Every structure is written in structure tokens, then in C-alpha cells.
Amino acid sequence: MVKIGWDITHQEFTVTDHYYFSKLLRSIQAKGIVDEITNWKQLDNYDIIVFNYPEIGFSSKEVEDVDRWLHHGKRIIIAGYYKNEDFIADRINSLIEHFGVKLLSDEVHDLSHNIDGDKLLLVSSVISLTDGNVRSVFLPCSASIEWQGMAETLVASENTSWSTLNGRGSHPLIVKKNIGKGELIVCGTCVFWDNFAIVRENNWGLTRYLLNLL
């Protein structure tokens, strides 16, 4: 059974917040173990570690710990938001830039592929997952991601989308980079698995894939 450590040492959204994440929590509890972690050292005991909207930056010692966890085979998931809201891109980049990945401070919107005609509630079918049932996902209020070296784009926006930094075209929104035996997954939005979004498109499947609950 997969063990998920949901970090809240950096003032992330809590997975036990019923209003926002009760559906996600039930999904995890049905197939795995999830604990909210208030002591950084305890994260060493989990297979998957989630940083969902960390509002505190990461220290050099914490970066070293994440590096070690990745090389030992853990999956690290870190999720941000658009426009560097609350300086979220800066906080996340204090960790992931060590691994050659950067969350941009842009917003990605799409006038053609969205929900309810809202350009920020973008939908995309540009997906590269081993789960072939995930054909379309809903990624609201997302920033895009860039990197150096080798990485895999798991989800990108449609060619009709627009980045406020990089203009028109398809932009990476969820990226996976293999580091040692582990995987670093960076998501441009942290709300694709909240109670509003998780029931739309194939977001359940995306969530199960990311958290290895297949």
C-alpha cells in the first residue's frame, strides 16, 4: 500500500480541509495511507511526498534532504499556482531550481479549450501518461514550467493557449524529471485535485496516476 506524506511544514494547503479536499482524501484513504506531516524529518518514512502550495521557501538543508529522497527512489510532487500568487513560484523555485526545473510566474489561458467560457479554467488533451484512460484534464489557474536537461511533459496546454510570458502555443503544465531512482513532478496548478476540479474531465485518473493509486 502506497504511503503518502502530505507536507504542511511550509504552510501548504491541508489535505484534511473538508471543503476543498474531502474527495481527494477519500480517494487516497481507499487505496493508500496519507498523513499530514508537521515534522520535516518524518517525511523520510513515505513513498510519495506532496508539497501542495508551499508558502514558505526551502532551506539548503531541506533541498539536500529532497535530493537524497529522490536518489533513494521517492516521488516528490510539488504544485504551484499562476502569476506567482503569494510569491508561490519563488517559494517553489527555492527547491526545484536545484534540480534544473523552474515554475514560471506567468498565467496560461485558453479561449478555445476551457470550462464555462472562462479562459483561466483551461482544459487540455495534450497528455503523456501511462494511463491511457486519461484523455482530457482540467487545470485551472495554471502557470507553465521550464527546465534544463532531460524531463518529460506529462500535460501541456493546447496549441490555442497563451502564456503571458511566452505567448501563443502549447506550454508544459505538469512535468516529470527523473532524478536518481526517484521522480520530481512539478505541477503548474495546485487546485486540479480540489473538490471543484477533481470530478471534471479525467482529473480522477490524473490524481490516481500522480499518487500511484492505480
Side-chain angles (χ1 to χ4, degrees), residues 24-134:
L24 171 62
L25 183 61
R26 285 198 302 270
S27 177
I28 298 173
Q29 290 174 332
K31 292 193 174 184
I33 296 170
V34 60
D35 295 319
E36 285 186 339
I37 305 302
T38 59
N39 183 329
W40 176 265
K41 293 182 180 179
Q42 291 179 353
L43 291 171
D44 202 40
N45 301 317
Y46 293 86
D47 309 307
I48 296 175
I49 299 170
V50 179
F51 303 105
N52 202 51
Y53 201 89
E55 295 190 66
I56 296 175
F58 294 81
S59 69
S60 58
K61 176 60 170 63
E62 289 169 337
V63 172
E64 290 176 4
D65 287 338
V66 172
D67 193 335
R68 174 171 54 83
W69 294 333
L70 286 165
H71 280 84
H72 287 175
K74 296 183 187 295
R75 174 176 285 184
I76 308 294
I77 301 171
I78 189 163
Y81 209 47
Y82 72 153
K83 298 194 301 186
N84 200 17
E85 188 90 359
D86 294 331
F87 303 103
I88 191 64
D90 296 338
R91 308 295 186 244
I92 287 177
N93 290 335
S94 70
L95 173 63
I96 66 174
E97 282 188 328
H98 174 81
F99 305 102
V101 187
K102 184 176 182 179
L103 179 67
L104 300 184
S105 58
D106 62 344
E107 71 173 43
V108 180
H109 57 253
D110 196 321
L111 292 170
S112 301
H113 298 86
N114 60 57
I115 287 179
D116 296 333
D118 187 328
K119 67 180 183 180
L120 289 172
L121 303 184
L122 60 86
V123 172
S124 179
S125 59
V126 185
I127 299 168
S128 176
L129 301 179
T130 53
D131 183 355
N133 294 318
V134 181

Side-chain angles (χ1 to χ4, degrees), residues 6 8 13-22 24-25 29 34-36:
W6 190 283
I8 55 174
F13 290 130
T14 61
V15 72
T16 54
D17 186 310
H18 186 83
Y19 185 80
Y20 289 105
F21 295 112
S22 58
L24 171 62
L25 183 61
Q29 290 174 332
V34 60
D35 295 319
E36 285 186 339

Side-chain angles (χ1 to χ4, degrees), residues 137-205:
V137 296
F138 171 46
L139 299 179
C141 299
S142 186
S144 63
I145 302 156
E146 66 181 21
W147 63 88
Q148 298 174 341
M150 297 292 293
E152 178 184 359
T153 300
L154 299 181
V155 182
S157 60
E158 300 280 351
N159 285 325
T160 51
S161 71
W162 182 274
S163 160
T164 51
L165 287 178
N166 292 320
R168 187 180 182 88
S170 180
H171 304 283
L173 303 181
I174 301 180
V175 169
K176 179 177 74 173
K177 189 167 188 179
N178 295 325
I179 299 166
K181 297 178 182 179
E183 299 169 329
L184 173 66
I185 297 178
V186 180
C187 306
T189 176
C190 62
V191 293
F192 66 92
W193 48 16
D194 71 6
N195 285 345
F196 174 72
I198 201 169
V199 296
R200 286 167 167 77
E201 304 301 318
N202 298 132
N203 281 30
W204 275 118

